[in-house]
Structures are given as structure tokens and as C-alpha cells.
Amino acid sequence: AQSVAQPEDQVNVAEGNPLTVKCTYSVSGNPYLFWYVQYPNRGLQFLLKYITGDNLVKGSYGFEAEFNKSQTSFHLKKPSALVSDSALYFCAVRAFNAGNMLTFGGGTRLMVKP
Amino acid sequence: NAGVTQTPKFQVLKTGQSMTLQCAQDMNHNSMYWYRQDPGMGLRLIYYSASEGTTDKGEVPNGYNVSRLNKREFSLRLESAAPSQTSVYFCASSQSSTGVFYEQYFGPGTRLTVT
């Protein structure tokens, strides 16, 4: 079985400071990892994905994520947070041979204060 | 290009009533999905359709049925609604369900309350 943990329900950061949203995963075999963002009353929007290759993945809106196989982590980062980054962030994992099952974490609410 | 659309946006049902949630995509995607979102639990897959004419159960299929009407449309039916089905329902689509490079695109959601 595959699973995703987002250990922080909420992350607070001041505008202009770097931000990190944590994600750890458990899966058999090679993982495929995704980050999605959800703004209020909206559906999820794709941010970035790790399939293979470079451990540092760059995505939309200046976000990036670092894949760490030994720590089974895929933390989302941004060098300088904006107030408009405030939203709900979801990490998701899919095993190489898991077919259509994309497993989501519980979500982390990011609050960026001016 | 509207992407993924869902109707209705909001619905209130009484226990035992039935309803169908509609979803349509205009991206010519092969695969479509239904999820439910509950606080603190992320999204959980209810059913999916890898391609037109096929449907499969996801993580939480009990109490639901689906129909892949054509390539564009994928509906979710609650035959006898229960309070435990109070949730926000999201439809999604992807170019393929087996191609790992294809991310899923989500609709705006339907907020369902069962009293």
C-alpha cells in the first residue's frame, strides 16, 4: 500500500521569507510524486511532479521540490513567499506499478502574512 | 476551453434521497476520476474510468455508482444518500491513466450536504 504524510496542518511564514511544506511518502518501488495547490472554493491545481532524474524539480509560480530517496521525502519549497501563496497544499504519490491510484496527503494550509 | 466542469456546485439532500453529480471535460482526455475531499483526509478516490467504456473502483466506492457516458462525460450517482456522504466531490481528468507523465486536471467541486 502507498501512503503520504504531511506532518504539519498549517505553516505560517512572513512574506519575503523562504517557505517549506513537508511531505513524506511510503511506496513499493519507485515513486512518482506530485504537488497540488487548492485556493478557496476551487479545484486542485497541478504545481510540479517528480518522475525520474534530477532530484530538484521546478514548477509553477516559483515553487520547487526536492526528492530525497533515503529520507522518503518530497518537500515543497519557495525562496521568497508571497501573500498570494496562501492556500492549501497537497502532496500525492503514485507507485510505478500502482495503475491509477494516486494517494493524497491530508493537506497543509500555508498562511503567508504581510 | 473550459477544462473540467461540474454540476451542481452545491446540493443539500435528505437521507435516502438520490442524486447524480455531472462532470464533463473538453480536453479530449481518456481518463476521468471522482474524488471526495474531507477535512484532514486529503482526497480519496471513489471511482475512475481509464478509458471510454471502462470503470473501476477506487479507495472508497461503497454507496456510489458511476457511468462513463462518453469520452467527455463521467457521472457519479448516490442511490440512497447518507450523512457520511457529506463532502466535497471533485471530478478530474488526465490524458491517460497509465502514462505517468500525465497529471490530473480538477474541476471546481460540488459541495454536498446530507441531512
Side-chain angles (χ1 to χ4, degrees):
Chain A
Q2 54 195 41
S3 64
V4 176
Q6 293 181 244
E8 301 154 317
D9 290 335
Q10 182 161 316
V11 170
N12 297 310
V13 64
E15 188 174 31
N17 283 359
L19 69 87
T20 298
V21 182
K22 295 179 180 178
C23 171
T24 59
Y25 66 89
S26 174
V27 74
S28 299
N30 293 325
Y32 298 122
L33 295 152
F34 304 82
W35 275 102
Y36 284 84
V37 60
Q38 184 180 31
Y39 297 101
N41 301 314
R42 302 286 295 276
L44 276 69
Q45 296 178 29
F46 170 77
L47 273 181
L48 51 79
K49 64 186 174 190
Y50 171 82
I51 303 298
T52 187
D54 195 349
N55 288 344
L56 185 64
V57 179
K58 294 189 183 297
S60 306
Y61 313 122
F63 283 93
E64 57 189 27
E66 187 169 10
F67 171 64
N68 187 318
K69 188 173 184 178
S70 62
Q71 297 186 4
T72 61
S73 67
F74 189 56
H75 300 330
L76 182 70
K77 301 181 180 183
K78 188 173 182 181
S80 179
L82 299 172
V83 173
S84 57
D85 292 330
S86 298
L88 191 56
Y89 290 80
F90 290 96
C91 182
V93 69
R94 175 180 160 179
F96 175 76
N97 59 351
N100 300 287
M101 294 294 289
L102 190 64
T103 300
F104 286 84
T108 298
R109 186 165 300 282
L110 174 67
M111 298 289 291
V112 182
K113 299 184 178 179
Chain B
N1 189 334
V4 180
T5 57
Q6 293 183 234
T7 54
K9 286 186 166 50
F10 302 94
Q11 185 71 49
V12 178
L13 292 178
K14 295 184 177 179
T15 298
Q17 287 185 319
S18 62
M19 78 162 295
T20 299
L21 282 65
Q22 306 287 352
C23 173
Q25 52 89 11
D26 62 1
M27 296 176 281
N28 201 33
H29 284 170
N30 290 305
S31 304
M32 298 185 73
Y33 313 81
W34 275 106
Y35 292 90
R36 60 177 289 172
Q37 182 182 28
D38 301 294
M41 300 186 72
L43 278 74
R44 292 180 293 169
L45 184 65
I46 304 172
Y47 271 93
Y48 65 93
S49 171
S51 60
E52 188 178 353
T54 68
T55 61
D56 283 289
K57 295 179 180 179
E59 182 184 355
V60 289
N62 291 345
Y64 305 95
N65 286 302
V66 291
S67 295
R68 183 73 183 267
L69 305 170
N70 48 54
K71 190 172 185 178
R72 289 187 64 248
E73 299 173 289
F74 188 39
S75 63
L76 178 71
R77 182 160 178 83
L78 286 69
E79 291 291 352
S80 178
S84 60
Q85 295 178 305
T86 294
S87 187
V88 181
Y89 291 84
F90 288 100
C91 179
S93 70
S94 66
Q95 187 165 342
S96 169
S97 60
T98 55
V100 298
F101 298 98
Y102 300 129
E103 60 268 21
Q104 296 179 16
Y105 293 82
F106 286 79
T110 294
R111 187 172 296 275
L112 174 67
T113 301
V114 183
T115 61

